[in-house]
Amino acid sequence: TPNTSNLGKQWYQRRVRGFTMAGEEDRMVKMEVDYSETVDKVIPECETLAAENKLNEAIDKLLVLEKQTRAAGDAISSSKVLVSIVSLCYKVQDWTLLKEHVTTLCKKRGHFKLAVTKMVQRCCEMVPEIQDKEKKMDLIETLRTVTEGKIYVENERARVTRTLADIHEKDDELEKAAKVLQELQVETFGTMEKKEKVEFILEQMRLCFETKDYIRTQIISKKISTKYFESEETEELKLRYYRQMIDLNLHHKEYLAVSKNFYEIYSTPSVKSDDLKWKEALQRVVLYLILSEYDNEQSDMLARIKTDTNLAKLPYYQNVLMCFDTAELLNWSILKKVYSQHLKSGPGEPASPLDKEENWDVLQMRVVEHNIRVLAKYYTRISLQHFSHLLHLDLKEAEKRLCEQVVKGQVTAKIDRLDGIICFTKQKDTEQILNDWSGNLNSVMDLIGNVNHLITKERMVHQVS
């Protein structure tokens, strides 16, 4: 009686080995003959022939066996043969023969995807081991050529392309490196791990930024979802991503975006556990927040930052932040005198944004804008001369700053230049005027009704008494 369990096991193994994807047509091929024993016997013989300087004879023998395994549908044995062919060529350092057989074997019709993948993977392992730059470049270009358009080896193509980009970068050819790496759309690769995808995209961003292609850098950055960084395992990639975004946003002078990037870094557990790192990050959050233009988003973030308990450990940064949160006029001269030394970086400290004089000019503009919003809150009418005096600006500059705020929609104002009067009342449309008139009229009629009721009540009390 046959052992049914062994028969079932053999049937399963043959099924796994035989039914394999083959060729470009994605058709199923059933294994007719198992060449595993023959392959295990022939490969050592061919290695011996190659060691005796009979490489061509060994390759010819393997090519015959490769054709037999391919025709029989034995994918695993075919993979071993292809890997053995390229390994023998590499072992004897015959680069011309290696490139020739890699190209030829990939073009053969009806080849198994598994076999081609294994062969390409073995060739990719050879690339870092090659010391000669020219030979390495030739093999990389060969691999890029044979893998072009083949989805099942897209990961291998991406990795050798990155190696090529690194070589170009070492040769100070950044534009070539960026162009080569941009060819890869790794976000569409289904078999590549998420971590490796993010690393590729970050490398693309870095090269584009270094070649001053800022628009493309911005486009590539949007391929990464920030939700990926919620895991603690991705902290290193998270910090790398936000540091690159800081450089990009600083180039565009988008200070609110820079402040948000530093806040993400500050919120990282590894940064919060280090006093020096979280202090530096929180300081940058505050400084770039006060340098950013006022809007609802900036106001919301300011309200969020001021409630952070760690801010109390940075008193000067807390005080300067509260200056912009209170509806009081700020004196620029006093503010700069008090905070100039404390907001700049000291010896041995990382550079502060206020180390640059141009950022002090930006901060002065933010102080003026803050004061204009305060005046618009407390005044309905004010003379232009008094307005400029409160802002510590001349008449022309004060009028210019007010017009900028009106254009941005931060305040609503009209200037009567003949009388030199600024009116901060908001102009109402016709419908709103009618609604207000109707509401006022209803209020007056209600008051008249209440008064009439009280008079009638008094008369009745007087008559009774």
Side-chain angles (χ1 to χ4, degrees):
T1 305
N3 189 335
T4 54
S5 61
N6 289 336
L7 286 174
K9 185 177 180 181
Q10 292 174 8
W11 176 85
Y12 176 76
Q13 289 175 345
R14 292 180 64 83
R15 183 175 179 83
V16 171
R17 292 170 58 86
F19 287 90
T20 312
M21 305 300 290
E24 297 296 330
E25 298 83 7
D26 291 348
R27 57 190 177 85
M28 303 298 288
V29 178
K30 183 177 180 180
M31 183 174 67
E32 297 177 357
V33 182
D34 188 353
Y35 278 92
S36 58
E37 293 181 2
T38 307
V39 168
D40 293 339
K41 180 181 177 182
V42 172
I43 288 178
E45 294 176 358
C46 293
E47 289 176 351
T48 304
L49 289 173
E52 296 173 355
N53 294 326
K54 298 179 181 179
L55 179 62
N56 289 329
E57 185 179 341
I59 295 295
D60 290 341
K61 196 171 183 180
L62 287 172
L63 287 174
V64 172
L65 185 59
E66 179 273 328
K67 185 176 181 180
Q68 293 173 346
T69 56
R70 176 158 47 90
D74 191 349
I76 295 179
S77 298
S78 181
S79 302
K80 291 180 180 180
V81 174
L82 264 61
V83 170
S84 180
I85 291 172
V86 295
S87 297
L88 289 178
C89 294
Y90 174 71
K91 192 173 182 179
V92 299
Q93 303 287 294
D94 193 333
W95 306 108
T96 304
L97 200 60
L98 174 62
K99 292 187 292 181
E100 178 184 338
H101 283 299
V102 168
T103 305
T104 305
L105 292 171
C106 286
K107 288 182 178 179
K108 284 191 175 181
R109 182 176 178 82
H111 242 318
F112 298 100
K113 291 182 179 180
L114 175 63
V116 174
T117 303
K118 292 291 184 182
M119 181 184 67
V120 171
Q121 288 174 349
R122 178 66 187 99
C123 292
C124 291
E125 293 172 1
M126 300 174 186
V127 173
E129 300 172 2
I130 302 173
Q131 301 300 324
D132 187 273
K133 177 185 171 184
E134 185 178 350
K135 294 175 181 177
K136 181 185 286 189
M137 293 282 285
D138 287 344
L139 181 57
I140 288 174
E141 289 298 336
T142 302
L143 290 173
R144 278 167 47 81
T145 301
V146 300
T147 56
E148 185 176 4
K150 294 181 174 66
I151 297 177
Y152 54 93
V153 285
E154 59 187 4
N155 291 351
E156 287 72 21
R157 176 180 172 79
R159 289 164 190 149
V160 295
T161 302
R162 184 170 180 178
T163 304
L164 180 61
D166 292 339
I167 294 172
H168 286 316
E169 186 177 4
K170 289 178 182 177
D171 295 338
D172 295 328
E173 297 178 334
L174 286 176
E175 291 186 359
K176 276 188 178 181
K179 186 177 180 181
V180 165
L181 211 59
Q182 285 169 27
E183 296 175 0
L184 301 173
Q185 305 297 328
V186 293
E187 67 276 6
T188 64
F189 291 5
T191 56
M192 183 178 286
E193 292 184 1
K194 186 73 172 178
K195 182 180 180 181
E196 191 174 2
K197 285 184 184 180
V198 173
E199 288 175 347
F200 267 99
I201 295 173
L202 289 175
E203 190 67 12
Q204 290 175 339
M205 287 175 58
R206 183 184 66 82
L207 289 174
C208 287
F209 183 81
E210 291 185 5
T211 54
K212 299 182 179 180
D213 192 349
Y214 304 115
I215 296 176
R216 193 179 295 276
T217 307
Q218 185 74 37
I219 294 171
I220 294 173
S221 68
K222 294 179 180 178
K223 295 179 180 180
I224 299 178
S225 173
T226 54
K227 292 181 180 179
Y228 173 71
F229 300 125
E230 293 176 358
S231 172
E232 292 185 3
E233 299 175 356
T234 61
E235 283 189 11
E236 184 180 350
L237 292 175
K238 176 183 178 180
L239 295 175
R240 183 178 164 190
Y241 169 76
Y242 283 111
R243 288 192 184 106
Q244 291 189 20
M245 290 304 299
I246 286 168
D247 293 337
L248 179 63
N249 291 322
L250 279 176
H251 171 76
H252 294 299
K253 296 185 177 180
E254 296 177 355
Y255 296 120
L256 181 58
V258 175
S259 180
K260 289 181 176 180
N261 296 149
F262 271 113
Y263 186 76
E264 292 295 336
I265 292 176
Y266 165 73
S267 303
T268 306
S270 61
V271 173
K272 275 199 169 183
S273 61
D274 189 322
D275 286 348
L276 292 177
K277 289 182 179 180
W278 75 254
K279 284 181 180 179
E280 178 190 346
L282 188 56
Q283 288 170 1
R284 301 300 178 270
V285 171
V286 173
L287 293 178
Y288 283 111
L289 185 59
I290 63 177
L291 286 173
S292 58
E293 291 187 8
Y294 175 85
D295 58 14
N296 292 336
E297 202 171 357
Q298 190 261 6
S299 178
D300 177 68
M301 187 167 183
L302 191 147
R304 194 187 333 152
I305 297 300
K306 73 177 183 180
T307 59
D308 195 307
T309 55
N310 285 332
L311 194 60
K313 299 176 183 179
L314 304 171
Y316 285 101
Y317 291 88
Q318 184 182 34
N319 292 339
V320 75
L321 187 67
M322 295 306 296
C323 288
F324 287 87
D325 190 50
T326 55
E328 297 179 4
L329 294 175
L330 300 177
N331 189 309
W332 167 246
S333 302
I334 297 175
L335 187 142
K336 187 175 182 180
K337 182 178 179 181
V338 172
Y339 295 103
S340 59
Q341 296 300 321
H342 301 285
L343 300 184
K344 290 183 178 180
S345 60
E349 296 180 353
S352 168
L354 292 181
D355 290 343
K356 298 179 181 180
E357 194 61 34
E358 61 181 18
N359 285 336
W360 281 102
D361 296 336
V362 175
L363 184 59
Q364 183 181 8
M365 188 184 301
R366 300 294 174 254
V367 169
V368 172
E369 292 172 356
H370 170 81
N371 290 340
I372 292 175
R373 291 195 300 272
V374 172
L375 292 175
K377 183 177 181 179
Y378 290 113
Y379 284 87
T380 55
R381 289 167 60 88
I382 186 175
S383 67
L384 187 58
Q385 186 172 2
H386 186 43
F387 179 77
S388 62
H389 173 71
L390 292 174
L391 295 180
H392 302 282
L393 299 173
D394 55 49
L395 289 173
K396 187 175 181 181
E397 185 68 16
E399 184 178 343
K400 178 184 176 182
R401 298 300 181 193
L402 176 61
C403 291
E404 289 176 353
Q405 289 295 93
V406 172
V407 170
K408 292 177 182 177
Q410 303 297 335
V411 296
T412 303
K414 278 186 175 182
I415 302 176
D416 187 343
R417 289 185 172 177
L418 296 177
D419 296 332
I421 299 296
I422 302 173
C423 180
F424 285 109
T425 55
K426 186 176 181 180
Q427 185 178 5
K428 299 178 181 179
D429 56 16
T430 307
E431 184 178 354
Q432 189 173 1
I433 293 173
L434 288 173
N435 289 335
D436 292 343
W437 177 82
S438 176
N440 293 335
L441 185 61
N442 289 334
S443 299
V444 170
M445 296 304 295
D446 290 340
L447 290 173
I448 292 174
N450 289 334
V451 170
N452 183 45
H453 173 71
L454 292 173
I455 292 173
T456 304
K457 183 178 178 181
E458 286 293 328
R459 284 179 176 176
M460 292 176 66
V461 171
H462 182 69
Q463 289 176 0
V464 170
S465 61

